[in-house]
Amino acid sequence: MDFSSEDFRRNPYPVYDQIRSVSPVFREPQSGLWMIFDYEGVKRALADHEAFSSEYGPDWLIFSDPPRHTKLRVLVSQAFTPRSIAGLEGRIRELARELLDQTIERGEMDLAADFAIPLPMIVIAEMLGIPVADRERFKRWSDAILNMSYTIAGSTEAARAANEEFLAVTVEMNAYLADLLDLRRSEPKDDLLTRLARAEMDGERLTQEEILGFFQLLLLAGNETTTNLLNNAVLCFIENPDELDRLRRRLDLLPSAIEEIVRYRSPLQWIGRVTKREVEMHGEVIPAGTFVLVMIGAANRDPEHFRDPNRFDITRDPNPHLAFGHGVHFCLGAPLARLEAKIALGHLLERLQSFELASDEPWPPRTGLHVLGPSSLPIRFQAASRAAALARV
C-alpha cells in the first residue's frame, strides 16, 4: 500500500478488497504498520476504548479516552447543540445559492474551488464568529492541520515538514484565539466561541488549550468532511447516471443517497488507535502499545456486511456504515455535515439540468492521506431553466 500514490488515493478499494480477503488484520511488512480492514474489526476498534486508545495525537476531543473524553464532549456539546446546527439551515441555503450564482452563467466551474470548499469553510467560520477578513488565514490553518496525516503514513521528510508546519500554526492560532476569547468574554455574541467560553460542568470550564483543540478539530473535520462529501457525491452521480436519474425523479431519496455516498466513498478513510494491551483478532495478535490504522473506508465495502458493496445504490437499506465513526467518538458534527450536504446537493440538482467532468485528466486528490476526494474537480453543466428550477423548489 502506497499512501502517497495518487492512483491509490483516488481509488484504494481494489487494494482494500484484496488485503481484506486474505488478512483482515494486516501488518505491512516494510513499515511494520498494523491495519484493520474488516467491518467487525473496525467497529470494535472504534468502540472498545478498553483495548484501543485514542490518545496518540494533538490535545483534541477525538484524541482522548474516557473519562476525560466524556467531560470534554459534555462541555463541547453545550456549545455545539442540535438547535444551533438547525438554525444554520437558512444561511446554508443562502450561501449555496450565492456560490452557484457566481458560476451558473458560465456553464462550467471547478466544483471543489467554487462550491465544495468555500461552502463548509464559510459555515464553520461564521459559526465560530471569525471575521471575514481572516478567512484566508483560516484556510491556511485548515490545510496545515490536514497535512498532519503525513506524520502517520507519509515519508520521514514529509512527516517532519508536516509536524513543523502544524506546530507553527498552533502557536499562531493560540495567540489569535486568546484575543478572540478575551473579546467574547467582555462582549459576548451569539456564536460558538462565546458558547465554548461559557460551557460549564460541575463548576469546570474548558481551558484555553481545550478550546484551541476543539477549534483545530472543527477547522479540519467541520469543513473537510463536507467538502469531500459534496465532491464525492458528484463523482458518484457522474459514474452512476442511472442512480442520478433515479434521484432526480425522487428527490425525497436524497437523505438515503447521502448515506450511500459516505459509505461508498467515505470522506474519512482511516483513523488511528493505540492498543492498550495485546489484542487478538482473526488469529493475529497485535502487541500492546502498537499504533493501528483503523480502515473505515475498507470496512464500508466489506462484502461480509454489505450486499454487493462495490455497487452504488441510493436506496440501500439497511446501511449501517461507519463513515461517521462508532461508539463514544461518533462524529459530533455528523448532523451538520448531513444538513449541508442535503441543502447543497439539493441545490445543485435543482439548478443543474446535467453535468459532466470537464477534463479527461485524473482528478488530483486532497492533500491529506487519510481523506478521499478531489482537490480540484472541473465540471461542465447545463443550467436548468429558471422556471423549471423554481418548480422543483
Side-chain angles (χ1 to χ4, degrees):
M1 292 178 63
D2 182 2
F3 287 103
S4 63
S5 159
E6 291 200 350
D7 286 340
F8 174 78
R9 287 161 60 203
R10 272 188 288 267
N11 183 18
Y13 295 104
V15 176
Y16 291 168
D17 290 344
Q18 182 182 8
I19 296 176
R20 190 199 312 104
S21 66
V22 176
S23 182
V25 176
F26 176 71
R27 183 175 182 271
E28 204 278 321
Q30 289 187 326
S31 65
L33 188 63
W34 285 84
M35 292 171 256
I36 302 173
F37 287 86
D38 69 305
Y39 183 93
E40 291 301 333
V42 166
K43 187 176 180 181
R44 178 189 171 191
L46 292 174
D48 184 359
H49 53 81
E50 296 296 328
F52 293 91
S53 173
S54 299
E55 294 183 347
Y56 69 89
D59 189 20
W60 296 357
L61 175 67
I62 62 168
F63 297 124
S64 61
D65 292 332
R68 183 167 184 270
H69 173 270
T70 308
K71 171 212 160 189
L72 286 175
R73 189 162 179 122
V74 168
L75 285 168
V76 167
S77 296
Q78 291 177 27
F80 205 72
T81 63
R83 181 180 177 184
S84 68
I85 292 170
L88 295 169
E89 182 170 349
R91 180 57 176 149
I92 296 170
R93 289 189 186 283
E94 183 181 13
L95 286 170
R97 183 178 65 252
E98 288 174 358
L99 289 168
L100 199 49
D101 281 348
Q102 295 172 15
T103 60
I104 196 77
E105 299 299 327
R106 295 206 311 257
E108 60 181 22
M109 65 170 157
D110 182 335
L111 183 75
D114 295 330
F115 192 78
I117 293 174
L119 176 62
M121 180 68 74
I122 295 170
V123 170
I124 290 296
E126 291 186 352
M127 278 186 75
L128 285 164
I130 302 297
V132 174
D134 292 339
R135 284 186 190 156
E136 279 305 311
R137 186 190 305 187
F138 198 73
K139 173 71 167 61
R140 177 170 56 82
W141 290 342
S142 179
D143 290 342
I145 296 168
L146 180 62
N147 288 341
M148 279 294 287
S149 60
Y150 285 86
T151 64
I152 295 170
S155 68
T156 303
E157 185 178 341
R160 180 186 53 77
N163 192 56
E164 287 179 357
E165 185 182 23
F166 176 74
L167 292 175
V169 300
T170 295
V171 171
E172 189 180 338
M173 291 175 73
N174 192 46
Y176 178 88
L177 187 62
D179 291 341
L180 265 186
L181 286 172
D182 285 344
L183 190 61
R184 290 301 184 273
R185 289 179 180 118
S186 60
E187 300 176 23
K189 292 188 176 182
D190 184 20
D191 61 26
L192 185 56
L193 275 183
T194 300
R195 292 193 291 273
L196 286 170
R198 290 179 163 183
E200 185 176 329
M201 183 182 76
D202 299 332
E204 283 192 69
R205 291 193 173 185
L206 290 163
T207 65
Q208 174 161 328
E209 185 179 25
E210 289 166 343
I211 295 176
L212 173 64
F214 185 64
F215 186 44
Q216 291 181 321
L217 172 60
L218 197 60
L219 256 181
L220 177 61
N223 70 80
E224 186 67 25
T225 298
T226 307
T227 289
N228 290 324
L229 201 170
L230 297 178
N231 284 328
N232 290 344
V234 169
L235 284 171
C236 288
F237 295 154
I238 289 172
E239 293 170 4
N240 299 274
D242 290 346
E243 291 299 283
L244 175 58
D245 289 345
R246 192 180 188 189
L247 182 58
R248 287 191 183 279
R249 292 193 302 270
R250 292 275 313 277
L251 279 177
D252 59 300
L253 291 174
L254 186 53
S256 172
I258 290 169
E259 298 308 307
E260 179 67 346
I261 292 159
V262 298
R263 180 201 72 84
Y264 186 79
R265 265 199 169 97
S266 303
L268 177 66
Q269 286 287 296
W270 49 261
I271 195 166
R273 290 292 186 266
V274 176
T275 51
K276 298 169 82 169
R277 54 175 170 77
E278 280 192 355
V279 177
E280 184 175 353
M281 299 178 76
H282 298 290
E284 299 282 351
V285 177
I286 308 173
T290 299
F291 183 78
V292 180
L293 289 189
V294 183
M295 309 300 290
I296 292 170
N300 285 337
R301 296 274 194 110
D302 187 347
E304 294 294 319
H305 208 82
F306 296 96
R307 183 178 179 182
D308 202 358
N310 291 318
R311 181 169 68 90
F312 180 69
D313 177 4
I314 65 169
T315 60
R316 186 179 296 275
D317 185 33
N319 190 357
H321 63 77
L322 301 172
F324 292 116
H326 180 68
V328 298
H329 283 284
F330 184 84
C331 179
L332 195 63
L336 177 59
R338 285 170 167 139
L339 177 64
E340 288 183 276
K342 182 179 178 182
I343 293 170
L345 293 176
H347 204 64
L348 287 173
L349 292 172
E350 286 163 4
R351 298 189 64 184
L352 305 187
Q353 182 174 314
S354 62
F355 45 82
E356 63 182 8
L357 295 178
S359 171
D360 294 329
E361 294 296 314
W363 48 263
R366 300 285 284 170
T367 57
L369 300 180
H370 61 310
V371 298
L372 177 69
S375 60
S376 175
L377 192 66
I379 62 170
R380 283 188 294 265
F381 55 83
Q382 181 178 352
S385 69
R386 182 169 178 78
L390 288 173
R392 287 197 292 268
V393 173

